[in-house]
Amino acid sequence: MPAAMNLDEQVEYLAKGSVDLIDRKDLRAKLARGKPLTVKVGFDPTAPDLHLGHTVVIRKMKHFQQLGHRVIFVIGDFTGMIGDPTGKKTTRPALTHEEIEENAHTYERQVFKILDPKKTEVRFNNEWLGALGSSGMIKLAAKYTLARMLEREDFRKRFDSHQPISIHELLYPLAQAYDSVALKADAELGGTDQLFNLLVGRDLMREYGLEPQVVLTTPLLEGLDGVEKMSKSLGNYIGITEDPQSIFGKIMSISDELMWKYYLLCTDLTPAEIETWKNRPMEAKKHLARFIITEFHGADAALAADEEFRRVFSERQAPSEVDEKTLPASKEPQFLTKIIVAAGLAPTNKEAQRLVAQGGVLIDEARVDDPKQTIDSRKGKTYLLKVGKRRFARVNFV
RNA sequence: GGAGAGAUGGCUGAGCGGUCAAAAGCAGCAGACUGUAAAUCUGCCGGGCCUUGCCCUACGAAGGUUCGAAUCCUUCUCUCUCCA
């Protein structure tokens, strides 16, 4: 990271990969004072499993940190009671204090793989929002108008199409904005879906006689499918705490096209450096996978994952470590499909049948194509099963 | 308070009383191919079964009409719209 950058270089460094920066001049002016900025990012307390999509904004926090600024990680234990209305259909259950505490710790463990713990503050917004009380809340609500709220695209659309908007949803942007007031934030970061909320922060700060914060948004990262944004509920995510082998495989499974976006948002390489990889996509993808695994699990794990990938997919050998399954022996031969299910290689018998019929099952390296295949399952028998490209198990009959 | 619209498989979204385990797209899975779990192409895509044909579930819930209902009727639940 850049030790001594001049003002403009700093602005550029911080702006890299951002979508909105409001406004660049403000940021420059704040930086010019030479004092560390207070930079805040809010996180919902409900989803403690961070994935690569979350790391985009966390990486941006890191950039601020590297330049010596004060980064505050705000856990929205108060705003969590409302739930950000963005595209949400179901209200989530209220969490207990213990659960929130626990989630916060889980966050920290993951976030500090990227951020420097010594330079990161963690705060809970119930601290100041809870203290407001209902009368304080009303005073806060008095600072903003419905017309301005309806500028938010999400609200606007719902309003125009006569979809319901609950009153409490209008409070969410206000509450979040009040975080900035309470913390006297110089800048707030968030995904592009946060733009409106972040801008309300600016307005509200003016109302409270504070200098408005700089707003910086980062792009939403598409998930493995390359279509939907990465999210746990869609199952198209790469979790920070996932095992290295899965991360490696999942990275390799993204489309070449999508890979470049991951490069831009999930590594610290400059666009010029990324360009040098363009003519060898496969190597580039492996390099990306190694980079990401190194960050979360260390370089050794990354190398091992790479080796294993080569072994299993390029050379189509069995992995170095195969799950051992012990199944009860029987004198009569048993249907292979049942064994596959019993070994946890397929969820249902029907699915196992399909896999066999489609030629996706190998016993001891030999393909099976008869769904009615039975196998000798007397005591002491052992088989190496391969189902699909990446499910292996050694079954032992006892 | 009154009038009306709608609820379909992970999602989006078709669906004439029988030929609907339910079109199509997306996502997912498998195979082929390959530079990768990329792209492309092909196939699959509710479950059970001593396993290929039969049986169970399934179209918001519960009843009913019918030889037969996702499709018709009644009630209920939920969502939305309009009028007041």
Side-chain angles (χ1 to χ4, degrees):
Chain A
M1 97 93 203
M5 293 199 277
N6 70 32
L7 205 49
D8 289 314
E9 284 168 343
Q10 289 182 38
V11 173
E12 275 320 301
Y13 187 67
L14 296 174
K16 178 203 144 189
S18 66
V19 177
D20 306 286
L21 173 54
I22 303 165
D23 123 331
R24 191 178 284 255
K25 284 198 299 291
D26 286 359
L27 176 61
R28 193 175 191 282
K30 282 174 187 274
L31 289 169
R33 286 176 210 148
K35 288 198 298 190
L37 305 184
T38 299
V39 181
K40 107 185 219 234
V41 184
F43 279 86
D44 196 281
T46 50
D49 272 327
L50 293 188
H51 57 62
L52 217 51
H54 297 115
T55 68
V56 175
V57 73
I58 295 170
R59 188 169 302 284
K60 187 49 69 185
M61 291 166 82
K62 175 177 137 184
H63 295 157
F64 277 90
Q65 224 167 39
Q66 288 170 330
L67 296 180
H69 302 293
R70 174 185 173 224
V71 166
I72 303 180
F73 198 91
V74 178
I75 308 263
D77 59 342
F78 183 90
T79 35
M81 294 193 300
I82 306 175
D84 191 350
T86 315
K88 290 291 188 306
K89 285 177 187 163
T90 50
T91 47
R92 15 191 160 177
L95 298 174
T96 66
H97 270 289
E98 290 73 32
E99 286 169 328
I100 290 172
E101 282 285 331
E102 199 181 309
N103 288 351
H105 286 306
T106 313
Y107 261 129
E108 287 178 12
R109 273 203 306 280
Q110 301 175 64
V111 158
F112 291 156
K113 287 177 187 286
I114 299 176
L115 295 178
D116 182 346
K118 290 196 281 295
K119 296 181 186 165
T120 309
E121 280 179 51
V122 178
R123 302 284 290 273
F124 295 83
N125 67 3
N126 187 50
E127 181 187 332
W128 49 86
L129 284 168
L132 226 44
S134 45
S135 60
M137 208 63 207
I138 289 169
K139 280 182 195 158
L140 175 61
K143 304 264 186 206
Y144 224 71
T145 66
L146 183 59
R148 302 213 60 186
M149 272 306 164
L150 288 176
E151 288 172 15
R152 175 165 157 161
E153 193 190 2
D154 172 63
F155 289 147
R156 174 91 256 160
K157 272 192 191 151
R158 287 202 276 162
F159 187 75
D160 286 345
S161 63
H162 305 290
Q163 301 283 305
I165 302 172
S166 299
I167 302 296
H168 78 292
E169 295 183 75
L170 301 174
L171 297 177
Y172 190 95
L174 281 177
Q176 182 174 339
Y178 189 75
D179 291 346
S180 297
V181 171
L183 295 168
K184 297 185 171 58
D186 288 300
E188 178 166 7
L189 317 182
T192 48
D193 56 341
Q194 288 292 307
L195 180 61
F196 179 85
N197 295 349
L198 307 189
L199 289 173
V200 174
R202 276 173 73 88
D203 292 333
L204 204 60
M205 290 175 85
R206 272 196 212 98
E207 288 287 327
Y208 280 86
L210 298 167
E211 184 180 297
Q213 63 184 358
V214 168
V215 161
L216 189 152
T217 65
T218 52
L220 297 178
L221 191 67
E222 286 91 345
L224 302 173
D225 51 83
V227 180
E228 304 286 346
K229 73 170 185 179
M230 186 175 284
S231 87
K232 192 173 181 188
S233 53
L234 291 173
N236 62 355
Y237 68 103
I238 297 175
I240 288 181
T241 54
E242 276 188 80
D243 69 280
Q245 199 54 57
S246 304
I247 296 179
F248 201 97
K250 285 181 175 183
I251 298 278
M252 293 308 283
S253 82
I254 65 175
S255 71
D256 288 359
E257 197 186 346
L258 189 60
M259 160 170 69
W260 306 116
K261 188 158 190 182
Y262 278 42
Y263 253 106
L264 185 67
L265 299 175
C266 303
T267 74
D268 289 324
L269 297 185
T270 65
E273 287 169 318
I274 295 170
E275 200 59 36
T276 64
W277 286 99
K278 287 271 167 103
N279 54 353
R280 33 192 182 132
M282 189 183 87
E283 279 311 308
K285 208 176 280 179
K286 288 187 171 185
H287 180 258
L288 176 66
R290 277 199 304 271
F291 176 88
I292 287 168
I293 295 167
T294 300
E295 185 157 60
F296 302 144
H297 297 282
D300 291 346
L303 268 182
D306 193 349
E307 270 313 303
E308 192 69 3
F309 184 86
R310 191 188 319 278
R311 184 187 165 87
V312 176
F313 295 106
S314 303
E315 294 164 21
R316 302 199 179 212
Q317 295 180 21
S320 52
E321 278 182 43
V322 176
D323 278 355
E324 296 278 338
K325 301 283 178 187
T326 306
L327 297 178
S330 85
K331 293 194 183 76
E332 300 299 317
Q334 296 182 51
F335 277 113
L336 169 62
T337 53
K338 305 258 176 183
I339 302 302
I340 290 172
V341 175
L345 296 171
T348 62
N349 203 21
K350 207 79 168 179
E351 177 68 13
Q353 284 179 36
R354 262 179 236 125
L355 286 161
V356 174
Q358 294 188 118
V361 176
L362 277 70
I363 303 178
D364 294 330
E365 317 271 304
R367 176 147 300 162
V368 182
D369 51 15
D370 179 9
K372 281 182 283 189
Q373 178 85 36
T374 55
I375 58 177
D376 185 351
S377 52
R378 282 173 295 186
K379 194 169 176 175
K381 286 288 177 184
T382 174
Y383 303 94
L384 177 65
L385 293 184
K386 180 182 184 187
V387 174
K389 292 188 181 70
R390 52 199 139 118
R391 275 165 283 165
F392 292 87
R394 173 158 291 283
V395 260
N396 303 301
F397 289 98
V398 204

